[in-house]
Structures are given as structure tokens and as C-alpha cells.
Amino acid sequence: MSLFQPLPSYKVTSRDKTLDLSQPHVMGILNVTPDSFSDGGQFTAIDSAITHAKDMIGAGATIIDIGGESTRPNAAIVATNEELQRVIPVVKAIRQQLGDGVWLSIDTSNPIVMQAAFEAGADIWNDVRALKREGAAKMAAKLDVPVMVMHMRGEPTTMNNLAQYDDVTKEVSTELTARIVEVTSLGVKREKIIIDPGFGFAKDYEHHRALLTQLDKLQTLGLPLMFGISRKRFLAEVLRKSGVEALANTQALERDAVGTAAGIFALQQGASIIRTHNVAMMQQAVTLWQQLSAYNQS
């Protein structure tokens, strides 16, 4: 495979907006949680959340992914009212201050939260549980929004015990396919679905390594792909195995360079959306890839 294959020519719509996924998009992470593994507590105040959203958009993000519930390993479920209080004021404020141009994604599994977020101006539903919660698929169908359907086994409290595969890429593909069949049978339009292979969820180091080198095989599902590996433990394991002493014990904030490299590998294999904490670094790398790709195709 060429390093500079054109991205698949997918598009998704939300209300009267269209997101062209034949071009790469950087999705900036905005956690409004007190306990996220990387930046918990930094953006819980509305002013700081808006400032961070503006900074990410200025650095090149076209999508802001707002989350009010941590899904790190062993994270507790957040009550609906608490999640609403964290997320909805931020969605309203960003939409009011930044207008309709930016796409707002909501990282939630709660259909009540998603409905309220949609009414406040959100465009995309990013669900790590793939619409498995009661009423979620029907709500997605009702709202008619693009939905990111992620591969995970179990819950954040149990997923690490379920990381057992004979062929991780094949099994992720099979399990995503089954989930897509289920949600479309409940009314979700296939053309609204974006798949996420679920890096960091129910997979160990070897599974991640295999999946990242075989990501292009998921193109057989015929759906756009979102890639999210930013600052996750797999990246720390990669660095620890390098044998370089200075890389042996990296903290989450120190993994952005290796995460950016992984994002470009994903882009080369057909991922249209790269989800990241460090938008500026990712956008710089994407810009280089785009310019080299354009040269390669000229």
C-alpha cells in the first residue's frame, strides 16, 4: 500500500451541515471531567473549557469532542444529572460563542445526555459503548445524527479481563459488523455511522500493535473510520520497550509525539478523523501528510 493513498470519499450529515471525510479531520478532546486519565479537572469551568476549545480550533481542529464521563479503566459510571451539568452548559456556550462552523461531538453513552446536547447544538454522538445502553440506538435514530460506534468488550470496569483474541483485527471487524447490524435494525441509518476500533478498550499491547498495523483491513466494512489513541497506555508501553532510559516511565502528557506518529499511520490506512489531546502537533503532521499526498498524486 502507498503511504499516500487518498482517503475514502465518505461524507456524513447533521442537520443542514455536511462533513467531508475525504479530507482528514483533527478532533480535539475537551474533557469536562474531574477524573480523566490525562487532563481531568483542567477544563471543568466553562471559561476554561471555552478557551481550550478556541485554542484547539485555532490550531486546526474541525471537531471538538466534549466528554463528561471518564471511560478510563475502572472508571465509575456518572449519574445522568451530573453528566448533564458538566456537558450541557459547555455545549451551549461553545455554540453561542463560536457559531455553527465548528462540529461538536459528545462523548457519552447516555441517550438523555445526547438528546439534551443535540438540543443545545451538538452535531455528533461519540459512544464508546456503541449504543448498547437502553434506548441509545433508538435515540440515535430519532436525532438522525452521525454516530461513532466503537469496539469494546464489557465495561471500563471489566474490559481488561476480556482482552482475549485469536485474531484481534478479524474479531474487531466481526464484532463491529454485528453491532452495526443491530443498530441499523433499530433505525440508525448506515450512512450516519463512523467506526472506531477502540484503542485502549479491551486490548493489550500485542493486540494494539497488531490492530495498528492492520487498520486498513477495517475498510472492508465500508464505513468511515475514527482513530483515537492519544496519550493511552499502549503508547507508554511502546516507549518503555524502546530501551531508552528517558522514555521508560512517561506520563500521559509526554506521549503526544508517539501518539501523533500513530495518528499518521492510521491516516495512511484510511482513518478520516484523528482524535487527540494535542491538536497543534497532530495538525502539523496532518498538514505534512496532505502536502506529500498531493505531490504524490500530481
Side-chain angles (χ1 to χ4, degrees), residues 91-108:
V91 175
K92 288 181 178 178
I94 292 175
R95 185 58 80 209
Q96 289 170 0
Q97 294 196 29
L98 302 183
D100 292 332
V102 62
W103 285 71
L104 298 183
S105 167
I106 306 301
D107 183 356
T108 185

Side-chain angles (χ1 to χ4, degrees), residues 204-223:
D204 64 20
Y205 169 80
E206 290 298 339
H207 301 141
H208 283 108
R209 193 163 66 151
L211 192 56
L212 184 53
T213 59
Q214 300 169 3
L215 205 57
D216 60 303
K217 293 184 178 180
L218 297 183
Q219 289 192 38
T220 59
L221 275 65
L223 291 166

Side-chain angles (χ1 to χ4, degrees), residues 33-174:
T33 57
D35 58 343
S36 290
F37 76 95
S38 168
D39 54 4
Q42 290 188 35
F43 308 113
T44 53
I46 292 179
D47 287 347
S48 63
I50 293 171
T51 297
H52 190 47
K54 288 180 178 178
D55 289 345
M56 290 192 290
I57 293 165
T62 50
I63 308 168
I64 302 297
D65 190 40
I66 304 166
E69 178 184 30
S70 174
T71 52
R72 72 189 192 287
N74 300 310
I77 292 175
V78 175
T80 297
N81 286 342
E82 178 67 24
E83 192 176 354
L84 287 167
Q85 290 170 13
R86 293 175 181 178
V87 170
I88 303 308
V90 173
V91 175
K92 288 181 178 178
I94 292 175
R95 185 58 80 209
Q96 289 170 0
Q97 294 196 29
L98 302 183
D100 292 332
V102 62
W103 285 71
L104 298 183
S105 167
I106 306 301
D107 183 356
T108 185
S109 298
N110 190 319
I112 296 172
V113 172
M114 188 60 217
Q115 181 174 32
F118 178 78
E119 292 169 356
D123 304 296
I124 299 172
W125 188 346
N126 178 16
D127 188 0
V128 301
R129 295 178 177 85
L131 304 178
K132 290 180 182 177
R133 284 200 177 157
E134 184 176 355
K138 290 184 178 179
M139 180 61 72
K142 174 185 174 182
L143 298 178
D144 198 31
V145 291
V147 180
M148 295 179 179
V149 173
M150 194 193 80
H151 177 270
M152 176 171 66
R153 290 177 174 176
E155 288 283 333
T157 52
T158 61
M159 62 183 179
N160 286 343
N161 296 326
L162 301 173
Q164 301 173 22
Y165 304 89
D166 293 321
D167 183 332
V168 64
T169 306
K170 182 178 180 181
E171 290 173 61
V172 166
S173 178
T174 298

Side-chain angles (χ1 to χ4, degrees), residues 168-185:
V168 64
T169 306
K170 182 178 180 181
E171 290 173 61
V172 166
S173 178
T174 298
E175 291 169 25
L176 278 173
T177 298
R179 194 68 204 133
I180 291 161
V181 169
E182 176 66 18
V183 301
T184 53
S185 75

Side-chain angles (χ1 to χ4, degrees), residues 231-233 235-240 244-256 258:
R231 297 182 179 173
K232 291 185 177 178
R233 184 177 59 187
L235 302 175
E237 294 171 339
V238 169
L239 297 176
R240 187 162 51 247
V244 177
E245 185 176 353
L247 302 180
N249 293 292
T250 58
Q251 300 303 305
L253 292 172
E254 301 172 303
R255 303 170 195 161
D256 288 341
V258 66

